Amino acid sequence: MAKMLLISPDICTGCHSCEIACSQEHEGYYVPSKSRVTVYTWEDELVSVPMMCVQCEDAFCQKACPVGAISRDPATGAMVVDHAKCIRCKMCMQACPFGGTAFDPLASRILKCDLCGGDPECVKYCPSGALKYVDASQANIERKRAYAARLKAAVGVK
Ligand code: SF4
Ligand code: SF4
């Protein structure tokens, strides 16, 4: 069954552990600009939102790539970049509505989440459970439950 990263900003603490784990896994050291996940924090509102590629079923990055360098890993469902084919045109960056791909100018290569081969490091090191890697159907159930809880609170039921 297809799995997906489930993001719950309401319980994200903004600790950046996911960025550290991602960078460490892919680069061997921590540099935030090379992490495939980026945490945005609005300090006045005390809100943090981790953002990364969401592995779209209908992926604009893949459609925009002129040389067929982006394909889906059948084992994990991740959209992955073949760096040997990639010509660094950055059209995938232009096409993604979520900013899911980035460019590393020093290494001259596209950076995007590859789900760590099916065992995402960001999930392992998220202390609050704001990142989970779950079956898509389970993700749907969790979203429904969370929204139901908000409705319950809105109508004042204790
Ligand atoms: S930068 Fe590489 S992966 Fe992205 S669209 Fe261009 S050739 Fe394809
Ligand atoms: S590790 Fe979890 S709690 Fe910390 S910033 Fe990332 S998503 Fe938020």
Side-chain angles (χ1 to χ4, degrees), residues 17 19 21 26 34 36 39 47 51-52 55 60 69 74 78 88-89 92 94 102 109 114 116 130 140 150 154 157-158:
S17 297
E19 291 181 356
H26 290 93
K34 295 196 180 190
R36 281 68 170 164
V39 181
V47 172
M51 294 289 295
M52 72 277 279
Q55 321 295 348
F60 286 2
R88 286 83 165 156
C89 67
C92 50
Q94 303 277 358
R109 116 200 116 119
D114 60 1
C116 297
N140 174 258
R150 283 167 55 195
V157 178
K158 297 195 176 165

Side-chain angles (χ1 to χ4, degrees), residues 6 8-9 12 16 28 35 41 50 59 62 79 86-87 94 96 98 106 114 127 132 136-137 148 150-151 153 157-158:
L6 179 65
S8 302
C12 173
H16 296 267
S35 172
T41 296
Q62 185 181 35
M79 300 303 292
C86 175
I87 57 172
Q94 303 277 358
C96 178
F98 306 107
L106 291 178
D114 60 1
K132 292 182 184 171
S137 57
R150 283 167 55 195
L151 285 178
V157 178
K158 297 195 176 165

Side-chain angles (χ1 to χ4, degrees), residues 39-51:
V39 181
Y40 295 95
T41 296
W42 288 264
E43 289 175 0
D44 287 347
E45 291 91 352
L46 296 175
V47 172
S48 291
V49 181
M51 294 289 295

Side-chain angles (χ1 to χ4, degrees), residues 61 64-67 69-70 81 86-92 110:
C61 62
C65 180
V67 294
I70 300 179
V81 178
C86 175
I87 57 172
R88 286 83 165 156
C89 67
K90 308 177 192 69
M91 288 306 294
C92 50
I110 292 293

